[in-house]
Amino acid sequence: MADNLKITQSQDESTTEFGREHNEKLQALSRSMVAGLYMLVRSVKMYDPENTVFQKPLHQLQDIINQIIGKEGRLELVGVKDSFYLNSMLVKVDLNSIENQRYLLTEMRAKDVGGFTLTKPVTVPELKNFVWIFSKEQSATTEEDGLAGRKLLNMRVAKFSKLKEKLDKDMNDPGDLKVDRKKYAMTIYARSVFFLGKYLESVRAGKPINASKALRLVQDFVDISYEQRTHFLGMTTMRREDDYLVYHQVNVSLMCIVFGAELGLTKPQLRDLGYIALFHDAGMTTLPEELATKRGALTPEERVAVQRAPLISVRNILMEKGFSRSTLLRVVTTFEHKTDFGTAVRDSRGNIQMIIPKTNLGVYAKIIAICDAYDALTSKRPYRDAYGPEVALMLMWTEMRNKFDPELLEVFMRVMAIQPIKVLSKRQQSLSVSGL
């Protein structure tokens, strides 16, 4: 029987610690543990835990858990929102495993189990007693020390109701939580800038590195900004003029995630959107410096070179191994985001009266187009100073209005806390834009 397992209410469970340093070895073990728990909880809905089908997965899970305890000295797994945290570290699951994680969280919360803690090596009988909690025949309430007749001694299982109460309290009185989130967000931002700098160097060398390594960075942005959307827009003001393209693409990616969340996109969709946005202008890095910073109008040859940049971005995507539906979406969106939404119909004074849509662009492309233009306008360039946020949005709402989906642009202006009707009406004098 169980010698080391025990379920108790968690008085000291940490649900608000963010920003623990990334540890790839621990991440791999964490993902394997979550996957093992998912398989066991799903199987116990169909089979008795005493069935031999459980022997192998139970031993595998035992080995994983004991490796973590041996490495860390303890194991604390907590479900917070749609994610798991292991010893205060966010467990970063693959995109294909997100639904499995949601299923596991749902089943745990249905039994009022929010997580568990272990300080000693676990045994197979202990794990089997834990799995019994989720059996389809089991209707009894899980007590602090487990089920009647299947008591646990050393495994502390946190009640979900208690964790939720504590988390709700923390959200109402954030305190240090905001500081920790902001610090972690800054760390991920810096890592993204560093990675993208290396990626653009490889593009200029003609040998692009694997872009998929950035997926986890994007997922981090999604996770930390999902509940505090506009709080993280402040990071997009961080930029260095000499590294414009690097900061620009990271800023656009983060802005797209915040904007997409406001539009109601799911976390997987936000990850796809942010990932595409992070490399949306990668082809521009192949342009000569004098062309990228040129003042005044471009020659026909120079304009052709600039127009070729999105094709280079597409080529880089196609050079990656494999071709999936996700790859196709990246290719189409990267190309489409440079396409104007529609044709402007102007009155005798040159003001735009209406927009005639040109084609049916994808929503990701329309979101990236708006964020791309806004960040470009509010960035200082060698040939002009940065426009202020209000002026940038005025320009987008007037002279550049045909480039964007007007309904999405209105939402974007609300996200930026500026109402279009207060910026510039259709009848007012239009503004001109240069150097975008």
Side-chain angles (χ1 to χ4, degrees), residues 19-83:
R20 171 177 169 160
E21 184 178 356
H22 180 85
N23 185 315
E24 189 56 46
K25 175 64 174 177
L26 188 59
Q27 280 288 337
L29 289 171
S30 302
R31 290 192 292 271
S32 298
M33 181 180 65
V34 170
L37 285 170
Y38 161 75
M39 291 297 296
L40 288 167
V41 171
R42 189 186 68 171
S43 298
V44 82
K45 303 300 181 182
M46 300 178 285
Y47 306 104
D48 188 292
E50 300 297 338
N51 193 301
T52 55
V53 73
F54 285 88
Q55 287 303 307
K56 184 176 180 179
L58 280 171
H59 279 90
Q60 289 175 336
L61 182 59
Q62 176 197 27
D63 180 61
I64 293 168
I65 288 177
N66 289 343
Q67 283 190 61
I68 295 174
I69 294 175
K71 180 181 178 64
E72 296 280 300
R74 65 191 295 273
L75 185 156
E76 179 188 50
L77 183 73
V78 180
V80 180
K81 301 294 184 180
D82 296 325
S83 303

Side-chain angles (χ1 to χ4, degrees), residues 105 108-115 130 133-134 142 157-160:
L105 284 166
M108 289 173 61
R109 289 163 182 173
K111 298 294 184 178
D112 199 22
V113 175
F130 177 72
I133 296 172
F134 306 98
T142 305
V157 177
K159 292 285 190 177
F160 172 65

Side-chain angles (χ1 to χ4, degrees), residues 214-245:
L215 275 169
R216 296 207 177 281
L217 296 171
V218 176
Q219 184 65 59
D220 281 341
F221 271 140
V222 172
D223 290 336
I224 61 181
S225 66
Y226 196 72
E227 298 297 331
Q228 300 285 335
R229 297 172 187 171
T230 56
H231 179 69
F232 293 96
L233 285 175
M235 285 194 300
T236 63
T237 60
M238 297 167 35
R239 51 174 68 91
R240 287 213 315 260
E241 187 178 342
D242 54 342
D243 286 328
Y244 164 74
L245 191 58

Side-chain angles (χ1 to χ4, degrees), residues 261-276:
E262 189 70 23
L263 294 171
L265 298 185
T266 64
K267 282 189 174 182
Q269 290 171 330
L270 292 175
R271 172 171 161 163
D272 287 345
L273 172 61
Y275 182 50
I276 297 170

Side-chain angles (χ1 to χ4, degrees), residues 134-347:
F134 306 98
S135 172
K136 62 180 180 180
E137 288 89 11
Q138 184 54 242
S139 58
T141 302
T142 305
E143 301 298 335
E144 293 184 359
D145 56 351
L147 300 173
R150 300 184 184 278
K151 296 300 183 179
L152 310 175
L153 299 177
N154 193 56
M155 186 179 192
R156 298 169 55 89
V157 177
K159 292 285 190 177
F160 172 65
S161 55
K162 294 292 183 180
L163 288 174
K164 187 175 185 300
E165 180 182 336
K166 185 177 189 300
L167 186 62
D168 290 343
K169 180 180 178 181
D170 289 335
M171 288 303 168
N172 292 330
D173 184 19
D176 294 337
L177 175 59
K178 286 186 177 180
V179 177
D180 290 340
R181 282 194 175 191
K182 184 69 173 180
K183 186 184 299 183
Y184 188 48
M186 296 285 284
T187 300
I188 301 304
Y189 185 94
R191 288 175 180 169
S192 300
V193 168
F194 178 80
F195 174 83
L196 199 62
K198 293 296 183 182
Y199 178 82
L200 295 184
E201 286 180 9
S202 70
V203 170
R204 288 191 291 271
K207 297 180 179 180
I209 61 177
N210 187 0
S212 65
K213 294 180 180 179
L215 275 169
R216 296 207 177 281
L217 296 171
V218 176
Q219 184 65 59
D220 281 341
F221 271 140
V222 172
D223 290 336
I224 61 181
S225 66
Y226 196 72
E227 298 297 331
Q228 300 285 335
R229 297 172 187 171
T230 56
H231 179 69
F232 293 96
L233 285 175
M235 285 194 300
T236 63
T237 60
M238 297 167 35
R239 51 174 68 91
R240 287 213 315 260
E241 187 178 342
D242 54 342
D243 286 328
Y244 164 74
L245 191 58
V246 173
Y247 282 85
H248 170 66
Q249 293 191 109
V250 175
N251 291 343
V252 171
S253 176
L254 180 54
M255 214 177 300
C256 284
I257 291 170
V258 174
F259 185 21
E262 189 70 23
L263 294 171
L265 298 185
T266 64
K267 282 189 174 182
Q269 290 171 330
L270 292 175
R271 172 171 161 163
D272 287 345
L273 172 61
Y275 182 50
I276 297 170
L278 190 61
F279 302 96
H280 74 281
D281 266 350
M284 294 291 288
T285 195
T286 60
L287 296 179
E289 180 66 20
E290 59 273 15
L291 176 56
T293 59
K294 181 180 178 180
R295 295 173 179 269
L298 302 178
T299 66
E301 293 78 13
E302 291 171 336
R303 190 168 296 278
V304 168
V306 172
Q307 292 172 344
R308 193 185 302 126
L311 298 178
I312 296 175
S313 299
V314 168
R315 181 200 65 185
N316 294 338
I317 297 173
L318 295 175
M319 287 173 64
E320 297 175 8
K321 294 181 179 179
F323 191 89
S324 63
R325 186 174 181 179
S326 176
T327 306
L328 179 60
L329 178 62
R330 291 170 60 199
V331 168
V332 173
T333 303
T334 299
F335 185 78
E336 279 188 345
H337 91 277
K338 289 295 186 182
T339 304
D340 290 350
F341 174 78
T343 301
V345 178
R346 300 176 183 269
D347 60 18

